[in-house]
Structures are given as C-alpha cells and as structure tokens.
Amino acid sequence: MAFPERFSNLPDYAFPRLRKLLDAHAPGGPAVHMTIGEPRHPMPAFVGPLLAQHLDGFAVYPPNDGTPELLAAIAGWVQRRYGVALPHDQIMALNGTREGLFNAAIALSPETKGGKRPVILMPNPFYQVYAVAALTVGAEPVYVPATAETGFLPDYEGLPADLLDRVTVAYLCSPANPQGVVAPADYLARLMALAEKHDFRILADECYSEIWRDSPPPGALAVAQASDTDPERVAVFHSLSKRSNLPGLRSGFVATGPQSMVRIRQLRAFSGAPLPLPIQRVSEAAWQDEEHVAESLALYQAKFRMADEVFAGLHNRVAPEGGFFLWLPVTDGEEAAVKLWRETGVRVLPGAYLSRDVGGENPGKAYIRVALVALQTELQHGLIRLRDCLYD
C-alpha cells in the first residue's frame, strides 16, 4: 500500500523524540518537568460554574464561526488591547491556534506563484505546525535562522529578492517560542512593507502576547492599522491557553481581512471542528475578564525575576521579554538534557528538537528550552538544580 511522500522527511515530534532520549535513563532526583509549555497557574474561577450552566449546549451543533456573543467578546478585547476595531466578519473562533495556523496556510497560500513552486517562510527554531502546513500545501518551507546574530528574530529582509518573489506566507511568532524575544513595532512595520513589496501574507502567531516582562508586546493588528497595511496582508492568532491558563479548552481566534476570512471560514465549514457551545460560552467570559490575566501575569513576572537571580552569573543568556520559556546556551542540547535528567531529575527539551538543520547547521543545537510553568517552589528548586548541574 502506498503512502504520501510529502511528510516523509519529518522528524519525530519533539516530545516523542524526547521520551526516546530520556526514558531509558533513571532520573537522578525527584522529577521536575520543564519541557512542555502547559500552563499550571489556576484557571479562572468562573470556568466550572459557567460550563455547568451551559451543559445543554453539548446537545446541539455549535455555530461554525463562533457565536455572535463570543465574536463580540473577542472584538471587545482586541479594541481594549490594541485599539483596533474589528467587525465580526473579520474574526473566527478557533479550536486553539494550532488549528488556525495550519488551516490558514491551506486557505490562503496559492498553488503556484509566478508560475513557480511557492515558498512559506518560518523562523528557525519554530512551532512545528508551520512546517507541516507548508508541506501540506505543496510549498517549499524555508527555515530562516532566528539566532543571537539576528536578535533571535528571522531576518526576512535579508533574503534574496527572487526567493521573496515566490513567498506566499511568512510565519512569525512574537513573543517568540522558544527565545522569548518580542518583535518591536518597527520590525513588524518593515515586515509588512516587505510583504506589500513581494506580495505575501503574514501569519502572526501571538499566543504568548499576555505574558511579558516590562510592557505589553506590540501586536500586528495595531501596526498594520498604523502603517495603513492592507488588512488582507495580515492574519493574527490568539489563544486562551496561555492568557487564561486554559490549554485544555482549545479555544482561540484568528482575525484578518474580510476576503481572507471568507476563505478561512469556507475551509472551516467543510473540514473544521467548531468549538462546542459550552466552550464558546466559557471563552466569551474569559475574553471579557482581565482580573485573572493580571494575576497570572504577576506570577510569571515573579518567575522572570527568580530566573534572573538564579542565572545571574551565566554569560550569553538572553533574558526573555515575553512568553514563559528560558532559552539557555549549552554545548550540546541533547547531551545537556541527558546529563540533567540522569543527575538531577530535571527534564528539559533540547533546542534542536524545535529546529531544522540548514546547510549542516541547527540553530537550536547549542540550547535547551526550559518552561517556566511549574509553581514557584518547584520551579525554584528545578532551576537551581539545573544551574548547579550544567553551569557550576
């Protein structure tokens, strides 16, 4: 029986790959898991009662694009957060941002561009769904280094003009996973000008936007409005997973221009899985409430300060501006992860598992990613054990 070849070169996904690396070894101490970005702060207190109140909604098919009330709640949040007014036909509820980031490429990337195979750009390292989306639409994925030399943001402007002319979609994550760098407004504006010049779309993954150190990260919607960028040029993706500590709710949204949204909604109508109605009711309340977000942010900011203290003497460490990961320099990420697990019981992710080899180089090889999701005391113990094992 034949199988498609389009995904044949994909490596194992990061976490099965990590289990293969570490599970053959006994932990050297009480296990502390710092691998997956699964928030562990308390979820909002209203979730349980609201879900119970709307249980009968599981008995009906939910609206595909989101209830009018949910779309209004999202639009209200976008207005408060970014000062951008969005009509409801430019918003669609999502089953988490991963669904949206994947399906938007299918809906919006044409089969050819200028008679040639299209290109989809993504930072390297990156969220792995970007690469699968590119392969699904038959595009060439181009992995653009996001390293210390480029300020941990991809230098799309530095790519050759003939390559840029083939680009249909460019992915960008800000705050960046895994490096924690925030794309400044001028970087976003230059990227939008580049997209205008070479006629491609930007898919802006902003799911970590509400976790920041000093000031809220700028958003692509606000920059697009300020720079008078065509709204069809930019699609943004947000989620309640990190903002509201609700990763299991699988609830987010995409916002873009009306013509792009017509195509995204049409694809969703044929092949997507709309959010169950009770989940939409809970999501509506979550987007309307900022108190729980502020409480969670204060906990993350305390964790940033804790990490600064623990790693105060570590050279070449870049303190994250947002998100909840540390991107720590090591000699070899896999070797460091094995050593740390065997000697201390602390479990981290090798940076190479989030990157691709390009020209024989993997920009994540000399890093480990550390998720700051554990509660305060456990996190502090884990970070100290990590420091003493790898850096003393």
Side-chain angles (χ1 to χ4, degrees):
M1 182 178 292
F3 292 95
E5 293 295 319
R6 67 177 69 93
F7 304 123
S8 59
N9 291 325
L10 286 177
D12 285 346
Y13 198 66
F15 298 106
R17 194 173 173 187
L18 181 68
R19 290 192 289 272
K20 289 180 182 178
L21 178 72
L22 297 185
D23 284 359
H25 307 283
V32 178
H33 294 274
M34 296 182 170
T35 55
I36 192 167
E38 181 179 68
R40 290 167 56 187
H41 293 172
M43 66 182 182
F46 56 74
V47 171
L50 257 181
L51 197 59
Q53 181 183 339
H54 293 285
L55 281 180
D56 58 350
F58 284 118
V60 300
Y61 285 121
N64 190 66
D65 303 329
T67 64
E69 295 84 2
L70 174 55
L71 298 179
I74 292 169
W77 179 77
V78 170
Q79 177 73 62
R80 294 192 304 275
R81 175 65 169 83
Y82 297 111
V84 175
L86 284 179
H88 292 186
D89 67 354
Q90 290 184 229
I91 308 169
M92 187 181 77
L94 294 175
N95 243 307
T97 52
R98 178 155 57 176
E99 177 216 0
L101 290 161
F102 178 77
N103 285 335
I106 299 174
L108 301 178
S109 180
E111 292 80 1
T112 61
K113 189 176 178 193
K116 298 178 181 178
R117 184 186 180 191
V119 164
I120 291 184
L121 303 178
M122 61 202 73
N124 195 19
F126 61 99
Y127 187 30
Q128 301 298 295
V129 74
Y130 308 162
V132 174
L135 295 174
T136 299
V137 300
E140 177 186 352
V142 172
Y143 307 103
V144 182
T147 61
E149 291 72 24
T150 66
F152 294 108
L153 292 169
D155 181 16
Y156 292 148
E157 294 176 282
L159 295 173
D162 59 343
L163 175 65
L164 288 168
D165 285 338
R166 292 170 52 208
V167 173
T168 56
V169 165
Y171 282 101
L172 182 72
C173 184
S174 176
N177 171 13
Q179 308 97 321
V181 170
V182 169
D186 66 327
Y187 175 96
L188 294 172
R190 294 197 314 272
L191 178 57
M192 290 174 195
L194 192 71
E196 292 278 7
K197 179 178 180 180
H198 294 277
D199 188 26
F200 62 83
R201 287 180 170 86
I202 299 161
L203 302 188
D205 180 355
E206 298 181 350
C207 69
Y208 296 94
S209 68
E210 304 314 286
I211 304 173
W212 40 268
R213 178 185 290 264
D214 297 317
S215 59
L221 286 176
V223 174
Q225 178 175 270
S227 60
D228 200 26
T229 297
D230 181 353
E232 305 295 344
R233 192 69 66 192
V234 178
V236 301
F237 301 81
H238 284 267
S239 168
L240 293 174
S241 295
K242 280 74 178 177
R243 174 188 180 274
S244 298
N245 304 307
L246 291 168
L249 200 70
R250 310 311 305 139
S251 181
F253 73 87
V254 55
T256 187
Q259 294 305 310
S260 297
M261 187 58 73
V262 166
R263 287 155 177 82
I264 290 173
R265 285 183 169 187
Q266 182 184 40
L267 179 64
R268 181 58 152 351
F270 277 91
S271 64
L275 285 172
L277 192 54
I279 301 300
Q280 295 200 40
R281 297 304 184 196
V282 171
S283 302
E284 175 190 336
W287 288 115
Q288 290 174 323
D289 183 73
E290 293 297 330
E291 183 177 350
H292 73 280
V293 181
E295 291 171 356
S296 185
L297 175 61
L299 294 175
Y300 281 119
Q301 290 175 334
K303 291 177 181 183
F304 289 149
R305 293 190 293 271
M306 176 195 299
D308 290 343
E309 293 174 5
V310 170
F311 296 106
L314 177 60
H315 297 298
N316 301 324
R317 181 182 82 91
V318 177
E321 298 172 293
F324 51 48
F325 298 113
L326 302 180
W327 189 237
L328 297 179
V330 292
T331 302
D332 180 281
E334 284 192 324
E335 292 178 2
V338 171
K339 173 181 173 66
L340 192 59
W341 177 245
R342 292 182 62 181
E343 295 184 12
T344 73
V346 173
R347 202 172 178 100
V348 299
L349 189 68
Y353 293 5
L354 302 167
S355 311
R356 289 288 191 278
D357 290 355
V358 176
E361 298 290 331
N362 186 309
K365 179 178 174 60
Y367 290 88
I368 53 174
R369 191 187 77 171
V370 182
L372 302 178
V373 294
L375 300 182
Q376 204 90 351
T377 301
E378 180 186 6
L379 179 66
Q380 184 175 41
H381 290 162
L383 292 179
I384 290 171
R385 283 151 65 183
L386 187 158
R387 179 200 64 193
D388 293 348
C389 177
L390 297 183
Y391 299 111
D392 275 8

